[in-house]
Amino acid sequence: MGDVSGDRLIEVLATLASPHRLRVLAALTGGRAYVSQLARDLGISRALLQVHLKKLEKAGLVTAHLELSEDGKALKYYEISPFSLHLTPDVVAVAVTTLSNAGDGEADPKGNS
């Protein structure tokens, strides 16, 4: 993820702050999977899985591809988008300087409220 903006860092960390989404990513490390199979493997409903997959996709952590099976069914496959997050105090300090503060309801981190 290289030089990451504060807003991007918050988006990724917030997305990863869910046990369900971490389980989805862990399941996808074995390779791509379609929604129904992934839901069965994880023991959750397809509806709940879809919510988490959409958040992971929005954050750029997974990608989706629609494919037709041999019997003509449309299957939506998900796979992990390669990423690496190296979090250090210095990375956080740099990211904070780029925060937009949009919608956080807090004062500007630089004290410029």
Side-chain angles (χ1 to χ4, degrees):
M1 295 184 88
D3 292 336
V4 63
S5 73
D7 294 337
R8 175 75 176 133
L9 181 60
I10 287 171
E11 177 186 26
V12 170
L13 292 177
T15 301
L16 293 174
S18 162
H20 284 304
R21 290 191 285 276
L22 289 178
R23 287 184 187 102
V24 170
L25 288 176
L28 290 174
T29 60
R32 70 189 193 127
Y34 62 95
V35 174
S36 294
Q37 182 62 52
L38 194 53
R40 282 191 297 274
D41 291 348
L42 295 171
I44 62 175
S45 71
R46 287 189 345 222
L48 178 59
L49 177 60
Q50 288 285 9
V51 168
H52 291 297
L53 285 167
K54 285 180 184 183
K55 289 183 181 187
L56 287 163
E57 189 174 19
K58 183 177 182 245
L61 300 174
V62 301
T63 56
H65 307 282
L66 197 59
E67 296 181 19
L68 291 179
S69 66
E70 290 180 15
D71 61 355
K73 289 183 182 176
L75 301 174
K76 194 166 191 178
Y77 281 89
Y78 283 87
E79 61 188 339
I80 290 181
S81 298
F83 68 91
S84 175
L85 181 61
H86 184 76
L87 197 57
T88 66
D90 289 337
V91 169
V92 171
V94 170
V96 164
T97 66
T98 66
L99 284 172
S100 69
N101 288 333
D104 69 4
E106 295 180 14
D108 187 299
K110 298 177 188 173
N112 299 329
S113 42

